[in-house]
Amino acid sequence: MTEEDNLVRSWHRFFNKKNPIDDKDVMESDQWAAVKIRRLLHDQLVTSSENNGVIDDPQQAWEIILKLIEASQSREALTAVAAGPLRQLMDAYFDDYIERVKEEAENNQGLSYALSYVFIHDKMHLEQLLQLGNRAAMLDFPNRDPTSEEVEMDLLVARWFCFYRGHSEIDSNLIACALDEVNYQLPNRDPHKSWLVILKLLAACTSKDEAKQIGYVISELLSVAYSEFIGKIKRAVRDDNRLACALTNTSVADEYSAEWSEVVALAIQISAGPWTDGRT
């Protein structure tokens, strides 16, 4: 393992802490990596004393950022890169690196996802970065277990319906956690997975009323990833009366209202017929 590989692994271990108390020893042993990478660039979000020792090496910072993205094991890890070194680089050297970032983001889904979470103070620069971002990016992490993810989504769907179907035998805390995860957390953290859960919810719903409850989830998804999903929804609604029913109970930001009103009008037309057991 090279010194740089060790640096990247230690940085990720430091920011992957699950419990600050239980992981205290691990955090302290890896803190050097967090400090070293932060000191590659000045950071206007920390005190002047914390910027002591900064070497201002944007090229090395850019190379480390790409390695951090490549080594990320989760979306949370990518957001940590966005909040740390990627933010620092674009805050201080936007003009020097924006073209490289644009070029890299075309084929680097991890970077594109991170850009959807980055925040810098210059509003014009921030807008350019967010346009490069894709919060709904399909990401394949080395430790991903598709079977486990499928089971997890099915469990979320089952517990979500327990709330609307009044299944009192299920622990209310589990149901509440599933509602929060499906309705709010997933649309914001992982829009792609949220869409897959929405499709599972639609497949499992048994009435128009249940389908309309799914409309709230779709609204939340569109609030963070409208441009990524509007095309999919337009194509899918024509042959899916369950999706059409859900869309009649949705809302979007004012800037999309004109386009969305056309989608809803079509959905109302498609959903006007009787409820069927199939998806059409």
Side-chain angles (χ1 to χ4, degrees):
M1 182 190 303
T2 67
E3 181 179 348
E4 196 168 76
D5 289 337
N6 186 41
L7 175 65
V8 168
R9 291 190 182 188
S10 291
W11 188 94
H12 274 300
R13 280 199 301 267
F14 181 81
F15 284 99
N16 192 44
K17 56 189 181 297
K18 301 300 182 184
N19 186 324
I21 297 177
D22 295 342
D23 296 345
K24 183 178 179 181
D25 292 340
V26 174
M27 288 175 60
E28 290 180 349
S29 66
D30 290 318
Q31 189 174 13
W32 68 272
V35 173
K36 185 169 183 176
I37 290 179
R38 179 172 58 78
R39 288 180 175 172
L40 289 174
L41 299 165
H42 272 85
D43 189 343
Q44 61 178 304
L45 295 187
V46 302
T47 64
S48 56
S49 61
E50 290 177 301
N51 274 316
N52 289 340
V54 170
I55 64 174
D56 268 331
D57 188 340
Q59 182 55 34
Q60 185 180 3
W62 173 238
E63 292 170 1
I64 290 291
I65 286 167
L66 294 179
K67 288 183 177 294
L68 288 171
I69 289 172
E70 183 180 8
S72 292
Q73 298 288 311
S74 66
R75 290 174 185 261
E76 290 79 6
L78 289 171
T79 60
V81 178
L86 182 58
R87 170 189 57 80
Q88 288 176 257
L89 179 69
M90 301 316 294
D91 240 341
Y93 292 94
F94 181 90
D95 290 336
D96 295 328
Y97 280 85
I98 183 58
E99 292 305 321
R100 273 185 268 191
V101 168
K102 285 181 180 179
E103 183 178 351
E104 180 68 27
E106 289 183 4
N107 299 303
N108 188 329
Q109 289 292 290
L111 174 60
S112 184
Y113 181 81
L115 288 168
S116 70
Y117 281 94
V118 77
F119 175 82
I120 60 175
H121 291 82
D122 187 299
K123 291 184 178 179
M124 292 183 62
H125 291 172
L126 176 60
E127 184 176 344
Q128 290 186 57
L129 293 176
L130 294 180
Q131 287 176 353
L132 297 174
N134 180 6
R135 196 167 292 193
M138 296 179 62
L139 303 173
D140 190 13
F141 299 105
N143 62 345
R144 177 176 174 268
D145 182 350
T147 301
S148 177
E149 286 188 356
E150 196 75 18
V151 171
E152 177 197 352
M153 288 191 290
D154 287 340
L155 189 59
L156 282 175
V157 168
R159 289 175 177 171
W160 189 91
F161 276 115
C162 282
F163 177 80
Y164 295 103
R165 294 171 181 172
H167 291 194
S168 58
E169 70 276 11
I170 305 297
D171 188 313
S172 60
N173 289 327
L174 295 177
I175 294 175
C177 288
L179 282 172
D180 183 60
E181 181 74 1
V182 172
N183 292 358
Y184 305 109
Q185 301 300 325
L186 271 181
N188 285 277
R189 184 182 72 249
D190 190 345
H192 173 68
K193 187 174 181 180
S194 176
W195 176 246
L196 296 180
V197 169
I198 287 169
L199 294 180
K200 285 179 175 289
L201 289 170
L202 290 169
C205 69
T206 58
S207 68
K208 288 187 176 182
D209 285 341
E210 284 187 349
K212 288 182 178 180
Q213 294 300 325
I214 299 169
Y216 290 111
V217 187
I218 296 174
S219 293
E220 190 67 25
L221 174 65
L222 293 175
S223 73
V224 298
Y226 181 90
S227 59
E228 289 88 347
F229 287 95
I230 181 59
K232 289 182 181 181
I233 289 174
K234 281 183 173 180
R235 291 189 295 272
V237 69
R238 297 183 178 277
D239 301 309
D240 192 334
N241 72 325
R242 297 182 177 209
L243 176 59
C245 286
L247 294 181
T248 63
N249 193 36
T250 55
S251 61
V252 300
D254 290 344
E255 61 186 302
Y256 305 123
S257 59
E259 179 181 31
W260 190 246
S261 63
E262 295 180 3
V263 175
V264 172
L266 177 61
I268 291 172
Q269 178 184 344
I270 294 172
S271 64
W275 179 263
T276 60
D277 290 336
R279 296 289 296 278
T280 57

